[in-house]
Amino acid sequence: MPARYFEDFTPGRGRLPPRAVLDSDAPRIDLNGRWAFRFSSALRAESDGFQDPEFDDGSWDALPVPSHWQLRGYGRPVYLNIAYPVPLDPPFVPQENETGDYRRVFDLPDSWQDLPAVVRFEGVDSCARVWLNGTELGVTYGSRLAAEFDVTALLRPGRNVLAVRVHQFSAGTYLEDQDTWRLSGIFRDVALLARPAGGIRDAFVHADYDDATGEGRLRVDVATDTDAPVRISVPALGIHDRPADSEFRFPAVRPWSAEDPHLYEAHLATGSERVRVRFGFRTITIDESGVLRVNGNRVLLRGVNRHEFDPDHGRTLSPEAMRRDVELMKRHNINAVRTAHYPPHPAFLDLCDELGLYVTLECDLETHGFEYADPTRWERNPSDDPRWRDAYLDRIERTIERDKNHPSIVMWSLGNEAGDGRNLRAMADWAHGRDPSRPVHYEADRLCAYSDIHGQMYRTPAAVARIGRGQLLPGEIHYPARAGSGDPADDPRNRMPFLLTEFGHAMGNGPGALAEYAQLFDAYPRVQGGWIWEWMDQGLRTRDAQGREFFGYGGDFGEELHDGNFCCDGLVFPDGTPSPGLLEYAKVMAPVRISAGREPGTLSVENRFEVLDLSHLRFTWALAREGVELAAGTLPTPEATPSDRVELPLPAPALEAAADDGDGELWLTVQAELAKPADWAPEGHVIAWGQLQLSAPVRARSHAPLLSPHAADGFITLGPGRFDPATGSLLDLDGLPLRGPTLGLWRAPTDNDRGWSQRDAAYWKDRGLDRLRHRTVSVTPDAEGLTVVVRSAAAAVPCGYLTTYRWTSDGTGLRLHVHTAPVGHWPERGDDFAGLMVDPDLPPEEYRELLRRNTSRSLARIGLDWQLPADWSQIEWFGAGPGEAYPDSRQAVRVGRFRTTVEQLQTPYVRPQENGNRADVRWVEVSDGSGAVHIRGEELFHLSARPWTDRQLDAARHQTELTPGPFVHLHTDHAVQGVGSAACGPGVLPQHRLELRPADFTLDLTPVHRP
């Protein structure tokens, strides 16, 4: 059977050579808008004449271009991570291949007569066959790559008809197995572009910067359709109408960087066309010690992986949505983007140039589904199949040619998770030859045979430290694991920049351990950051049967094959709201560090910018005792150049208050704010902050005599507390409806708790921690209080906890001391994670202890659960806030006094799970407005409160399935486990694990009656 046009190893036919996006004054007709559309649920391989200009499409639907047809009521969206949506039979695709036929009628103005022109498609998924006025122009693969066709000979005066047939699947599908929604259609812009005779076909701007002298050098390679001379003007540099083939040198220029994204504007002109190109002077080098530098400065990539995504429009993004992305990144101290895993809309790169982001531009290539398809890994991978060579080279050529003029692009990436092979090496060779000014990245080049950057995914902090120390052995690789041998000095990777291509997998509640990674970026010059996976939760906005809006993920659209909520793994919720993970990342990566000075009475300010001093910032301070502000003011802006650390005296009110024996903790908070508006944030936007504890008075203990309990009316009364004599449970506190406590050891598992290798959630489930039953062993009153002993365990499980509750009262409130300890046989926890979780270079005793903790039996939490009526929903606490925090994700919170409601304590992760924990709580007050229960810990404790149970939280797939019940479920936890990022990567680091152990803690409960 002859090859069909959509099942071809070649990269298509009929397209013009790729070229840069140029802002031209030549005429342009925007072809976006409503197109006539016909959808077929199965393959239409042969045309029925719909491309004919006189074809009657009156019965067709109308579909906006750009858009995806699955999001407009045709077919269904499918989310897959690794698996292909077609049988692995390259280059063939099944008959069940949705087909969309498009027709667009447009009028050609008289002024276009005899004017050469091209039609340009910015993106069509996955294969398009194109006709103009009934004549075929060609076929294009490469969904996220631009395609141009020459239409000069086919344009007619007046009415013209552009017809396009788009297939959901094609041979190109095998090269586009990205971890994202599989969506089809003409999803980027379409335009008709005039190409005047003697016009400028392409331009490549080379603008180098000499960091030693400050000199700039400008050279422009211009391609014209004829030999027409080209003139160049750069007004800001004093160049006016000069020959464009000259090389220009300037003794002093302002270089471009992500911190100071200064752009110059060049105008290139022939007699028939004038184009504008924005460019920046900058030079990217890798020095002899293996450090990546921009303009001579070591760069730290505080980056994110960004899929193009909008909850309503998929990969079709408006200019406003793209700007929101970039501005939000800048506001959260992000300076780098990896365009995972394809070139984005070119307007996004314009914004990166303008606002300042370092871009690693990735080719539209991934073949991950071949990794485990055959008995031998990657056996049929296109990356090493010579039949695909031209398609691979076509993709990297179209990637680089389109975007080569963007100063924001500092690296090219060959693609993602496409294994290894000769076609990738050919891509790297082509990229190095075409643009030697930028390094090439490709993570799956494990030994860095043809890439310039050593990139790996999801390595543990311990493994990264080893890489930073240059200890990789020749031939050693992590994935798939392979031992090395020989002298590390012989492995070139130990002399290359190391970047975490993906890390900190931000799925659900997480990621944990970002602070540990940041410490490594400081400690090892070659370890230069990386890109969090990923920027945004890819949840599609949809509605349930009751009309309630929620964000859908895999399985919500009736797909037969999907990967669940693995697409919801971003730092930003689908609606653009920052998650706690984004706030954590912003704090950890802040370019200014504020801490206690080396000398008493001083404050340390460290400038972590690479280019800027601190003159663009304003430093403000606020002094608070027990969370109540006492004074505030402004500090002098420190004179600190990049990498400088200076010390300032504390504000006089802070020193005076610290010398005072005031009651309550005294905290000084210092913020670094924008002193004037930036293009991406208003004046006053907080860049960084730090807190200093100036005093922590010891709370006076009551020496009032303890009361004896007494029995009356079928209850035991102790001070303000009334207890059930059979169970020993508190029934109320001076008439206020606080009930409990019961021991809590479980939480609704996070996506990371469910990690397949660490198995924490499975271990908890197997121990029945989600279904504990409580048996009161004894209730013993005595002269000074009440002792209650309770055994907590699950049905059919031999292990549990034995808890002793010791209640005392001085008449004003209740004091509860808890001792709890494991009983019975607790099996070991399975752990198959192969990564290095503990750094072997630690001191031996510390190393052995962390190694033990790493595989220890775990608990989700150790704490107490209480119940109050649903209208007791007002919460005030003194502790860390205002947002949630866990042991390994707590950098973004500060100590203060905070007020909110139970509803507002919840974090709406797309798939419901454990959330909303507040850390380091000193006291909490829960109220209905007329009364309150005040709970103070002798030790710091954790706080959460929900209008539903943890089991209800665990059972829900979407937020709409969570319905508030009649109670507030209050948790006061002595300890909780960290969150890690085991959904894809390391689990909870051993120092943040909550291992099976006894616990002792004390709480004071006080009733508060308000008039």
Side-chain angles (χ1 to χ4, degrees):
M1 185 176 185
R4 298 183 287 188
Y5 69 88
F6 51 86
E7 294 174 325
D8 196 341
F9 289 107
T10 65
R13 62 176 185 257
R15 280 187 289 104
L16 291 169
R19 63 192 184 109
V21 178
L22 298 174
D23 181 7
S24 170
D25 67 352
R28 180 183 189 276
I29 297 176
D30 184 355
L31 296 179
N32 290 347
R34 299 186 72 77
W35 291 43
F37 179 74
R38 178 178 63 183
F39 175 75
S40 302
S41 58
L43 175 69
R44 281 181 176 263
E46 300 302 326
S47 171
D48 61 351
F50 84 97
Q51 73 273 22
D52 189 281
E54 306 310 317
F55 182 88
D56 182 5
D57 60 19
S59 63
W60 287 21
D61 297 332
L63 188 74
V65 169
S67 70
H68 298 284
W69 69 59
Q70 288 90 352
L71 302 183
R72 297 285 174 169
Y74 307 95
R76 62 184 59 167
V78 174
Y79 165 64
L80 290 168
N81 174 15
I82 298 173
Y84 278 102
V86 296
L88 264 67
D89 185 23
F92 306 108
V93 293
Q95 294 298 119
E96 296 85 359
N97 187 358
E98 294 177 1
T99 302
D101 290 329
Y102 295 78
R103 283 171 55 89
R104 175 71 156 86
V105 178
F106 63 93
D107 288 328
L108 191 72
D110 292 341
S111 59
W112 283 62
Q113 298 300 316
D114 302 322
L115 191 62
V118 300
V119 64
R120 181 180 178 93
F121 295 85
E122 292 294 347
V124 184
D125 192 325
S126 73
C127 168
R129 189 178 183 186
V130 186
W131 296 263
L132 180 66
N133 294 329
T135 299
E136 182 176 342
L137 301 177
V139 174
T140 182
Y141 299 124
S143 296
R144 294 92 173 183
L145 300 167
E148 286 186 338
F149 298 93
D150 188 349
V151 295
T152 304
L154 300 174
L155 286 172
R156 303 173 178 175
R159 183 176 181 271
N160 289 261
V161 179
L162 182 64
V164 184
R165 170 159 286 177
V166 179
H167 296 295
Q168 181 183 28
F169 305 129
S170 67
T173 300
Y174 290 100
L175 305 186
E176 296 171 9
D177 192 32
Q178 287 95 340
D179 172 14
T180 187
W181 289 97
R182 312 304 167 101
L183 300 168
S184 313
I186 306 175
F187 73 97
R188 286 186 186 159
D189 307 302
V190 185
L192 183 70
L193 308 176
R195 298 297 318 123
I200 296 170
R201 192 187 71 80
D202 198 9
F204 192 173
V205 178
H206 308 271
D208 301 321
Y209 177 73
D210 188 327
D211 63 276
T213 65
E215 180 185 63
R217 185 178 64 182
L218 176 65
R219 177 174 57 86
V220 183
D221 298 330
V222 185
T224 60
D225 296 319
T226 64
D227 292 330
V230 183
R231 312 289 288 183
I232 185 172
S233 298
V234 187
L237 294 172
I239 299 176
H240 301 285
D241 198 32
R242 301 276 297 280
D245 57 1
S246 305
E247 180 175 285
F248 302 95
R249 291 178 179 270
F250 311 96
V253 295
R254 182 174 167 187
W256 186 97
S257 68
E259 292 176 7
D260 182 23
H262 184 75
L263 295 173
Y264 292 88
E265 189 170 294
H267 296 272
L268 303 170
T270 66
S272 59
E273 185 178 16
R274 181 180 176 89
V275 302
R276 180 182 74 110
V277 182
R278 296 193 306 176
F279 68 94
F281 288 97
R282 56 109 183 89
T283 299
I284 306 147
T285 56
I286 298 172
D287 71 16
E288 60 186 13
S289 60
V291 175
L292 177 69
R293 296 184 180 275
V294 175
N295 302 331
N297 300 306
R298 175 187 182 261
V299 293
L300 174 62
L301 299 187
R302 308 187 297 268
V304 291
N305 285 278
R306 176 186 177 267
H307 269 294
E308 288 187 300
F309 183 75
D310 178 275
D312 301 301
H313 306 292
R315 283 189 295 279
T316 299
L317 269 65
S318 68
E320 295 77 17
M322 288 184 264
R323 178 170 282 273
R324 282 196 300 270
D325 271 1
V326 176
E327 289 180 351
L328 196 60
M329 290 175 190
K330 294 286 290 186
R331 289 176 182 175
H332 289 85
N333 297 326
I334 288 166
N335 73 347
V337 173
R338 174 177 174 236
T339 65
H341 299 293
Y342 40 81
H345 191 288
F348 177 78
L349 299 174
D350 291 336
L351 290 166
C352 295
D353 293 341
E354 174 190 334
L355 300 181
L357 289 173
Y358 292 123
V359 175
T360 295
L361 194 82
E362 194 144 274
C363 186
D364 187 7
L365 175 66
E366 180 166 341
T367 64
H368 203 175
F370 282 96
E371 182 174 14
Y372 298 109
D374 299 301
T376 302
R377 293 176 69 250
W378 298 108
E379 186 174 328
R380 289 183 291 156
N381 187 16
S383 295
D384 201 41
D385 185 335
R387 294 175 297 176
W388 293 98
R389 176 188 171 90
D390 289 347
Y392 273 61
L393 287 173
D394 173 74
R395 286 174 182 252
I396 192 65
E397 182 180 356
R398 290 160 72 187
T399 296
I400 291 177
E401 295 295 357
R402 191 196 75 166
D403 296 326
K404 55 185 177 280
N405 291 323
H406 289 282
S408 58
I409 298 174
V410 295
M411 273 181 275
W412 302 115
S413 177
L414 303 183
N416 181 68
E417 294 175 326
D420 199 358
R422 70 193 81 177
N423 296 335
L424 287 157
R425 183 184 289 271
M427 292 172 73
D429 289 344
W430 189 93
H432 284 126
R434 178 58 173 146
D435 182 20
S437 73
R438 294 177 174 102
V440 169
H441 163 277
Y442 180 60
E443 179 266 342
D445 177 16
R446 308 294 186 206
L447 297 177
C448 297
Y450 45 86
S451 53
D452 307 302
I453 303 293
H454 182 203
Q456 294 194 26
M457 295 182 180
Y458 305 112
R459 296 306 303 269
T460 65
V464 172
R466 188 167 168 267
I467 292 169
R469 292 191 293 265
Q471 294 175 339
L472 285 175
L473 301 178
E476 173 188 0
I477 57 174
H478 163 65
Y479 179 76
R482 186 175 77 193
S485 62
D487 187 344
D490 296 333
D491 195 312
R493 294 172 300 172
N494 290 323
R495 299 180 298 279
M496 297 174 71
F498 175 76
L499 294 172
L500 284 155
T501 303
E502 296 175 16
F503 79 112
H505 193 263
M507 186 174 180
N509 189 339
L514 294 182
E516 281 76 7
Y517 284 107
Q519 291 167 5
L520 298 171
F521 303 156
D522 288 346
Y524 302 106
R526 290 189 305 106
V527 177
Q528 295 183 249
W531 302 275
I532 294 284
W533 185 264
E534 62 174 307
W535 172 239
M536 179 178 282
D537 283 342
Q538 296 182 60
L540 291 171
R541 197 189 313 271
T542 187
R543 294 184 181 274
D544 64 15
Q546 290 74 44
R548 298 174 300 184
E549 184 178 284
F550 68 96
F551 293 110
Y553 48 78
D556 285 328
F557 303 95
E559 316 95 301
E560 64 179 11
L561 184 68
H562 64 84
D563 283 313
N565 68 313
F566 207 68
C567 58
C568 295
D569 48 11
L571 293 173
V572 177
F573 294 135
D575 63 359
T577 303
S579 75
L582 180 57
L583 304 181
E584 182 80 357
Y585 196 40
K587 181 64 170 71
V588 165
M589 291 298 190
V592 178
R593 290 185 184 163
I594 301 167
S595 59
R598 297 186 180 95
E599 299 297 325
T602 64
L603 173 75
S604 170
V605 177
E606 185 177 0
N607 182 359
R608 304 290 297 174
F609 285 108
E610 293 149 10
V611 175
L612 300 177
D613 59 24
L614 302 182
S615 60
H616 64 298
L617 301 178
R618 176 175 61 232
F619 287 76
T620 63
W621 60 269
L623 184 67
R625 191 182 294 280
E626 200 73 9
V628 177
E629 187 173 296
L630 302 178
T634 302
L635 291 170
T637 298
E639 295 183 4
T641 56
S643 301
D644 276 358
R645 186 175 187 267
V646 299
E647 296 198 356
L648 304 174
L650 295 181
L655 294 171
E656 293 165 5
D660 184 16
D661 293 331
D663 184 21
E665 298 179 28
L666 186 67
W667 287 84
L668 177 70
T669 304
V670 178
Q671 296 188 154
E673 309 168 353
L674 288 179
K676 59 183 179 180
D679 291 338
W680 42 268
E683 178 182 348
H685 170 73
V686 177
I687 297 292
W689 60 268
Q691 270 196 318
L692 285 71
Q693 186 172 10
L694 303 183
S695 69
V698 178
R699 184 163 59 96
R701 294 285 299 274
S702 171
H703 297 290
L706 298 178
L707 303 181
S708 299
H710 64 276
D713 301 324
F715 303 104
I716 297 175
T717 300
L718 176 62
R722 192 165 62 105
F723 296 83
D724 184 319
T727 64
S729 296
L730 178 67
L731 300 176
D732 63 69
L733 184 67
D734 200 21
L736 302 179
L738 177 67
R739 300 178 69 94
T742 54
L743 183 71
L745 304 173
W746 182 75
R747 67 189 183 198
T750 67
D751 291 307
N752 291 311
D753 290 336
R754 298 172 186 269
W756 61 270
S757 55
Q758 283 83 18
R759 301 179 181 167
D760 283 299
Y763 184 79
W764 304 336
K765 188 84 170 178
D766 290 344
R767 307 288 79 73
L769 302 187
D770 59 328
R771 51 186 177 87
L772 292 179
R773 302 290 181 89
H774 307 279
R775 176 175 63 86
T776 301
V777 176
S778 61
V779 178
T780 309
D782 59 39
E784 293 187 330
L786 178 67
T787 301
V788 180
V789 180
V790 178
R791 191 181 192 277
S792 302
V797 174
C799 58
Y801 259 70
L802 188 67
T803 306
T804 299
Y805 301 95
R806 175 61 179 173
W807 296 92
T808 58
S809 175
D810 64 359
T812 60
L814 291 174
R815 186 172 180 83
L816 170 61
H817 177 76
V818 178
H819 171 77
T820 188
V823 293
H825 172 63
W826 289 75
E828 296 301 316
R829 177 179 58 87
D831 192 328
D832 294 336
F833 186 72
L836 183 69
M837 290 292 285
V838 184
D839 188 348
D841 273 26
L842 289 171
E845 187 174 335
E846 182 181 356
Y847 174 73
R848 287 191 296 271
E849 170 61 12
L850 289 176
L851 206 62
R852 182 195 66 78
R853 291 191 64 175
N854 181 52
T855 56
S856 65
R857 297 165 293 180
S858 69
L859 298 171
R861 60 191 181 95
I862 302 175
L864 304 180
D865 300 343
W866 312 81
Q867 280 187 358
L868 296 106
D871 57 349
W872 284 65
S873 60
Q874 299 173 36
I875 305 284
E876 181 177 5
W877 77 97
F878 177 47
E884 71 179 27
Y886 293 81
D888 55 355
S889 60
R890 49 167 300 117
Q891 304 304 311
V893 294
R894 62 187 73 186
V895 175
R897 186 182 295 208
F898 306 98
R899 294 182 180 87
T900 189
T901 64
V902 169
E903 180 184 13
Q904 292 168 338
L905 282 176
Q906 314 311 306
T907 303
Y909 294 110
V910 174
R911 186 189 73 77
Q913 56 196 272
E914 161 65 31
N915 71 90
N917 184 73
R918 268 55 180 182
D920 292 350
V921 176
R922 281 74 166 160
W923 56 257
V924 60
E925 201 163 275
V926 187
S927 171
D928 69 346
S930 61
V933 173
H934 186 97
I935 302 175
R936 180 183 286 271
E938 188 164 287
E939 306 84 12
L940 302 179
F941 64 95
H942 297 264
L943 163 71
S944 58
R946 301 193 177 94
W948 36 71
T949 68
D950 281 6
R951 293 183 69 174
Q952 290 171 321
L953 184 63
D954 180 44
R957 293 187 73 250
H958 299 288
Q959 292 292 329
T960 50
E961 298 168 23
L962 289 168
T963 303
F967 298 107
V968 168
H969 300 273
L970 177 70
H971 303 305
T972 57
D973 291 329
H974 174 65
V976 301
Q977 172 149 295
V979 291
S981 58
C984 187
V988 180
L989 297 183
Q991 59 267 38
H992 302 305
R993 297 196 68 83
L994 177 56
E995 59 181 328
L996 183 76
R997 60 175 174 83
D1000 286 270
F1001 54 94
T1002 301
L1003 298 174
D1004 290 329
L1005 286 64
T1006 306
V1008 179
H1009 295 280
R1010 298 193 174 105

